[in-house]
């Protein structure tokens, strides 16, 4: 990864403060100056520290400047005081660019693997109810979660990606009810139904939802089915297992189209069957947050005490039922047990089996049912993390808070520290024109709305695979128009890559707390803040070296080596001056910011930070590409500098796209 001088400069300022004032401070804030002539970094430490020490900030800044000038910092050419007391650092441009080239020259074009492993973190995402086809809202979850996992992993952290499969919940019960009571099909008949199975369940689920309204007989039957799923016994449980497994397989195939994969699928039925909740309750019952209700409205239930805790003040009935009087654990209780296992608070009692639907290039596992063939114990392989992220929409905040209360109660009096973070996000809707394009009728009064809300329960929405199919077809049409010499297979593959880039970028470029109105035309545009625009910048960078090889008969490695030799012995720094060089320097500065951007992305849990960085890079490179051609440049030194910058961008930008999960096509 390209060196980030922010960290180096901040550390130097901390040392300067200690030497000049005797004060020990935390890492100071480091800002980007408003204009290039103010330098490359601005540190307001004298303003902040001057107030607390009762000293004029400007005077303090002058003393710090004197110490910093007497103790040179590698990569910094000079310091300057600006305004009321800002310390501004100017980079040694030649040194910085040399460092960048040395760093990138030592790795391959492939995404770099973590060089060290600190603490394992679990990222749980997707976790779709296995009752029908995935929809566009599920895609936002999966794209956010997958990108988060990629970004955290790039920091050298061992990341385990989990996908929780709620195969005993009410949504599966509804589909079981539909096949058994409405279609009159048993487990064997359902197993033999043709694909797309998830599409058939989509329609059936909607039908059952409508029939359940005000139908007490059917509602009572659903309760019986739920109990059967919970106990994992009887024909309904057998049918439920077939439905859940087939739907999960469909979901995994859908996500594979976007390059999204998992390390472990955990089935709720296995959490129940292994009585993980019983072990969890044994621990929780010793804490002051869980109690047994003896009398009253919840007589015979195990309850979690939430009254008076932050976040639960305004609830009429804050205490939460964990185990009903009939002994059945609620959804949140099973979720608590699962999280206790995830964070090493419960022993690993799972057996595991290979999940065959994942391609051989990635080995994934799932929890196995007792008695399943080809299972094995893998102690220490999964779970046991001390921190993790749950990517679940904002509507699940209440339940995630309850999980957090349980974990806090269990670790309060122990040496164990657990960090459980709810990565929440808002829903995805469609613009009216996109809804109509995808076959969803839009009423006249809704034509002027900013977006049309979806409802999976009502069957009013767009299936993920349908959306991908439309995006791929449109992408392929555009490729064929631009490249008539390509055969059909090449066109389809490029169309697929453009579709993935368009969809993934659109779903992460907005703040996660913003409702998205997905628009097909906007997402697929080759101009503006879109995935195809980013891909086009990467293709252009690649094409530069393809053209150089065609013209000069030299590989990129040879061309770059010659350019470096030409600008060796300090000539690089001398070339990075003047108007052109200042504009090129702007691109270099942006390239240097990736490490900082990644830190901010994880710290603020805002994937859009990385997306915006990628867009800014693409804009800066496209400006460079149009204004500073390489092949036509007569000045050898300028041409060499441009070659090196294009090389740095190509490698660096490939890494950024990989973090976003956006494929880089060979052409567009």
């Amino acid at each position: 990864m390209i060196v980030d001088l922010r960290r180096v400069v901040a550390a130097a300022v901390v040392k300067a403060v200690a030497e000049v004032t005797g004060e020990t401070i935390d890492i100071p804030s480091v800002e980007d100056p408003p204009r290039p002539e103010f330098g490359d970094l601005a540190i307001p430490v004298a303003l902040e520290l001057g107030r607390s020490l009762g000293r004029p900030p400007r005077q303090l800044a002058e003393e710090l400047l004197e110490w910093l000038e007497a103790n040179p910092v590698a990569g910094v050419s000079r310091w300057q005081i600006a305004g009321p007391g800002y310390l501004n650092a100017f980079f040694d441009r030649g040194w910085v660019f040399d460092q960048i080239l040395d760093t990138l020259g030592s790795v391959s074009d492939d995404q770099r693997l973590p060089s060290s492993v600190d603490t394992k973190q679990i990222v749980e995402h997707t976790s779709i109810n296995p009752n029908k086809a995935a929809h566009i809202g599920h895609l936002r979850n999966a794209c956010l979660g997958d990108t988060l996992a990629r970004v955290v992993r790039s920091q050298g952290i061992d990341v385990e990606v989990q996908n929780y499969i709620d195969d005993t919940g009410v949504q599966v019960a509804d589909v079981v009810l539909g096949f058994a009571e409405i279609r009159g099909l048993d487990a064997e008949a359902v197993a033999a139904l043709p694909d797309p199975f998830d599409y058939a369940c989509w329609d059936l689920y909607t039908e059952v939802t409508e029939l359940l309204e005000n139908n007490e007989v059917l509602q009572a039957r659903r309760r019986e089915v739920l109990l059967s799923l919970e106990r994992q016994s009887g024909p309904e449980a057998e049918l439920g297992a077939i439905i859940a497994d087939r739907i999960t397989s469909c979901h995994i195939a859908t996500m594979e189209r976007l390059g999204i994969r998992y390390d472990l699928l955990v089935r709720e039925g296995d959490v129940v069957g292994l009585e993980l909740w019983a072990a969890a309750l044994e621990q929780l019952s010793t804490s002051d947050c869980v109690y047994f209700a003896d009398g009253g409205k919840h007589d015979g239930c195990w309850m979690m005490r939430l009254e008076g805790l932050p976040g639960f003040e305004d609830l009429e009935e804050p205490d939460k039922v964990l185990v009903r009087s009939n002994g059945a654990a609620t959804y949140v209780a099973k979720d608590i047990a699962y999280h206790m296992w995830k964070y090493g608070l419960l022993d690993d009692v799972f057996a595991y089996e290979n999940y065959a639907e994942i391609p051989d290039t990635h080995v994934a596992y799932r929890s196995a049912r007792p008695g399943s063939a080809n299972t094995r114990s893998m102690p220490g392989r999964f779970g046991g993390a001390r921190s993790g992220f749950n990517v679940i929409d904002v509507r699940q905040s209440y339940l995630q808070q309850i999980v957090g209360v349980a974990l806090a109660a269990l670790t309060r009096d122990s040496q164990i520290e657990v960090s459980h973070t709810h990565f929440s996000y808002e829903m995805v809707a469609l613009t009216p024109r996109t809804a109509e394009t995808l076959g969803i009728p839009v009423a006249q009064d809704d034509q002027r709305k900013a977006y049309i809300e979806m409802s999976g329960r009502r069957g009013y929405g767009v299936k993920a695979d349908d959306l991908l199919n439309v995006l791929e077809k449109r992408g392929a049409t555009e490729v064929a128009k631009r490249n008539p010499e390509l055969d059909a297979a090449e066109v389809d593959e490029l169309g697929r890559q453009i579709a993935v880039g368009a969809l993934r970028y659109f779903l992460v470029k907005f703040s996660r707390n913003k409702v998205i109105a997905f628009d097909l035309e906007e997402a697929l545009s080759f101009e503006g803040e879109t995935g195809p625009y980013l891909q086009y910048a990467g293709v252009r960078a690649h094409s530069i070296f393809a053209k150089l090889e065609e013209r000069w008969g030299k590989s990129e490695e040879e061309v770059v080596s010659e350019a470096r030799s030409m600008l060796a012995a300090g000539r690089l720094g001398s070339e990075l001056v003047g108007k052109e060089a200042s504009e090129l320097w702007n691109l270099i500065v942006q390239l240097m910011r990736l490490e900082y951007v990644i830190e901010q992305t994880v710290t603020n849990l805002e994937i859009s930070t990385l997306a915006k960085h990628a867009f800014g890079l693409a804009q800066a490179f496209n400006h460079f590409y149009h204004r500073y051609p390489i092949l036509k440049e007569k000045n050898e030194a300028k041409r060499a500098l441009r070659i090196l910058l294009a090389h740095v961008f190509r490698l660096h930008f490939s890494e950024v796209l990989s973090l976003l999960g956006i494929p880089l096509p060979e052409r567009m």
Side-chain angles (χ1 to χ4, degrees):
M1 189 176 292
I2 293 177
V3 62
D4 185 0
L5 276 176
R6 287 173 181 269
R7 196 188 302 274
V8 176
V9 167
V13 170
V14 169
K15 190 170 184 179
V17 168
E19 294 292 334
V20 171
T21 69
E23 297 289 325
T24 301
I25 64 170
D26 294 329
I27 300 298
S29 58
V30 179
E31 303 173 359
D32 297 312
R35 296 206 300 269
E37 58 266 30
F38 291 163
D40 296 299
L41 295 177
I43 304 94
V45 65
L47 300 173
E48 300 163 355
L49 194 57
R51 285 191 290 269
S52 62
L53 296 179
R55 297 188 55 185
R58 181 94 186 183
Q59 182 187 75
L60 179 56
E62 290 173 351
E63 294 179 26
L64 294 173
L65 175 66
E66 183 179 353
W67 188 92
L68 288 165
E69 289 179 335
N71 297 271
V73 178
V76 178
S77 62
R78 64 188 177 94
W79 298 84
Q80 176 181 291
I81 299 175
Y86 277 90
L87 270 174
N88 289 0
F90 291 76
F91 293 158
D92 181 335
R93 295 182 174 185
W95 183 93
V96 167
F97 203 24
D98 271 335
Q99 294 298 309
I100 291 172
L101 289 167
D102 288 341
T103 301
L104 291 181
S106 63
V107 298
S108 68
D109 288 357
D110 299 331
Q111 183 181 6
R112 276 161 259 178
L113 297 175
S115 57
S116 63
V117 174
D118 297 319
T119 306
K120 178 165 74 172
Q121 292 189 347
I122 293 175
V123 176
E124 179 196 337
H125 68 79
T126 307
S127 302
I128 308 172
N129 291 318
N131 67 316
K132 64 181 187 303
H135 57 63
I136 190 171
H138 298 137
L139 292 182
R140 187 178 194 188
N141 180 306
C143 288
L144 286 170
D146 181 67
T147 307
L148 176 65
R150 290 168 184 258
V151 170
V152 174
R153 191 177 287 121
S154 75
Q155 295 183 305
I157 296 173
D158 179 20
V159 176
E160 180 176 304
V161 179
Q162 294 190 8
N163 183 353
Y164 188 74
I165 312 299
D166 182 8
D167 57 347
T168 65
V170 66
Q171 289 82 5
V172 174
D174 285 352
V175 181
V176 170
L177 200 63
F179 279 123
E181 301 297 327
I182 299 172
R183 299 287 190 268
L185 301 179
D186 60 12
E188 184 178 355
V190 171
L193 288 175
D195 290 322
F197 182 73
D198 53 342
Y199 279 40
C201 290
W202 176 288
D203 297 332
L204 180 60
Y205 180 66
T206 302
E207 186 178 346
V208 172
T209 299
E210 294 173 352
L211 290 173
L212 277 166
E213 290 185 8
N214 304 316
N215 189 326
E216 295 183 2
V217 174
L218 203 57
Q219 291 172 10
R221 182 73 180 100
R222 178 168 66 175
R223 288 191 290 271
E224 293 175 358
V225 171
L226 267 172
L227 191 59
S228 177
L229 296 180
E230 180 83 17
R231 293 174 176 173
Q232 297 186 11
S233 63
E236 293 91 349
E238 181 185 0
L239 178 54
I242 290 171
I243 292 167
D245 284 351
R246 288 196 66 180
I247 293 290
T248 298
S249 178
C250 294
H251 291 167
I252 297 302
T254 299
M255 299 308 162
E256 179 67 24
R257 295 178 69 178
L258 290 165
I260 297 170
R261 294 175 174 177
Y262 313 89
D263 298 309
L264 178 66
L265 310 182
V266 178
R267 293 183 288 199
E268 184 172 287
D270 300 325
V271 172
V272 174
L274 293 167
E275 298 184 343
L276 208 61
W277 168 245
L281 181 59
E282 186 176 346
Q283 288 192 42
L284 284 167
S285 61
T286 63
S287 71
D288 58 2
C289 76
V290 172
Y291 65 94
F292 183 77
D294 189 5
K297 178 181 178 180
H298 298 297
D299 182 38
C301 297
W302 281 96
M303 308 287 295
M304 175 169 282
R305 185 176 286 109
L306 302 171
E307 189 172 5
L309 295 179
F312 302 96
E313 300 92 344
D314 299 328
L315 299 177
E316 291 183 11
E317 190 177 335
D319 289 4
K320 182 69 176 177
V321 175
L322 296 179
V323 182
R324 301 183 183 90
S325 57
N326 64 0
T330 59
Y331 174 81
V332 71
K334 290 177 282 190
D335 207 28
I336 289 170
Y338 165 53
H339 283 85
M340 288 172 64
W341 166 78
K342 276 170 52 171
Y343 298 124
L345 302 176
L346 290 176
D347 293 335
D348 187 3
V349 295
F350 289 111
Y352 302 96
E353 60 188 359
N354 281 40
Y355 194 64
E357 282 78 358
I358 298 293
D360 293 338
T361 53
H362 178 80
V363 179
Y365 297 87
R366 71 174 173 186
S367 59
R369 297 188 176 98
S372 297
N374 302 317
T375 63
R376 49 182 162 158
S377 174
M378 302 174 70
R381 173 64 176 85
F382 297 110
R386 285 291 177 260
S387 62
F389 303 92
N390 269 21
V391 183
I392 309 176
D393 74 53
V394 69
R395 293 169 296 180
Q396 301 297 317
S397 295
Y398 169 64
L399 295 178
Q400 286 298 298
Q401 282 182 286
I402 295 174
V403 171
V405 169
L407 294 174
L410 289 168
T411 58
R412 189 178 299 123
D413 299 323
S414 70
Q415 300 300 313
I416 298 175
E417 292 185 9
V418 168
S419 174
H420 171 70
T421 303
H422 176 203
F423 186 106
S424 62
Y425 63 92
E426 270 290 357
M427 69 173 188
V428 183
L430 301 176
T431 60
R433 68 174 178 178
T434 294
E436 289 190 320
T437 298
L438 295 172
I440 299 174
V442 179
Q444 188 67 34
D445 292 343
D446 293 336
Q447 294 285 350
R448 289 185 291 274
K449 286 186 176 180
Y451 57 80
I452 307 296
E453 292 188 31
M454 304 293 101
S455 173
R457 181 170 287 275
R458 299 293 180 186
Y460 190 71
V462 53
K463 302 178 186 71
D465 284 311
D466 284 349
L467 177 61
L468 278 165
N469 291 341
V470 172
L471 287 168
E472 288 180 3
K473 184 176 181 180
R474 291 196 172 198
T477 299
E478 185 64 27
V479 169
K481 187 189 306 179
R482 293 167 178 251
N483 304 275
E485 75 282 3
L486 296 180
D487 62 36
E490 291 176 303
V491 168
D492 288 345
E493 174 57 22
L494 292 174
R496 184 196 67 79
Q497 293 177 345
I498 290 170
V500 172
L503 185 56
R504 289 195 64 134
Y505 189 77
F506 197 100
L507 293 178
V508 302
K509 74 175 182 177
F510 299 98
S511 169
R512 61 190 175 93
N513 293 320
K514 177 181 175 64
V515 174
I516 290 180
F518 182 81
D519 187 84
L520 271 171
E521 304 296 334
E522 180 184 343
L524 278 170
S525 175
F526 279 48
E527 300 294 334
E529 191 179 354
T530 69
Y533 179 80
L534 268 61
Q535 291 172 311
Y536 204 51
V539 168
R540 276 177 164 167
H542 176 77
S543 71
I544 288 174
F545 294 98
K547 290 177 182 177
L548 289 176
E549 183 171 7
E550 181 182 338
R551 178 79 61 88
W552 296 346
K554 297 176 182 178
S555 67
E556 180 176 354
E557 184 178 308
E558 292 171 320
V559 170
V560 169
S561 177
E562 290 179 3
R564 290 204 67 178
S565 298
M566 174 162 290
L567 295 179
R571 289 191 63 193
L572 181 58
S574 65
E575 292 298 330
L576 280 167
V577 295
K579 181 180 179 182
E580 174 185 336
S582 293
E583 293 185 2
L584 301 188
W585 179 248
N586 174 56
L587 177 55
I588 294 172
V589 169
Q590 290 198 56
L591 289 169
M592 292 171 58
R593 297 186 74 242
L594 180 59
E595 185 176 344
Y596 170 73
V597 167
I598 286 175
E599 289 178 355
Q600 292 301 301
T601 297
V602 176
T603 299
N604 300 324
L605 290 183
E606 192 54 81
I607 302 298
S608 63
T609 302
L610 178 61
K612 300 293 183 186
H613 174 69
F615 178 58
L617 275 176
Q619 282 184 308
F621 176 76
N622 284 331
H623 175 80
F624 159 79
Y625 181 87
H626 288 297
R627 293 198 59 177
Y628 304 108
I630 292 175
L631 288 173
K632 295 180 181 179
E633 178 55 55
K634 303 300 184 184
N635 183 298
E636 290 186 347
K638 286 185 176 181
R639 187 170 65 234
L641 178 60
R642 294 174 190 177
I643 285 172
L644 292 177
L645 185 52
H647 171 69
V648 169
F649 172 82
R650 191 185 74 75
L651 295 183
H652 179 84
F653 197 62
S654 295
E655 181 177 353
V656 173
L657 290 182
S658 180
L659 290 174
L660 290 168
I662 295 176
L664 180 55
E666 290 187 5
R667 65 177 77 189
M668 290 179 71

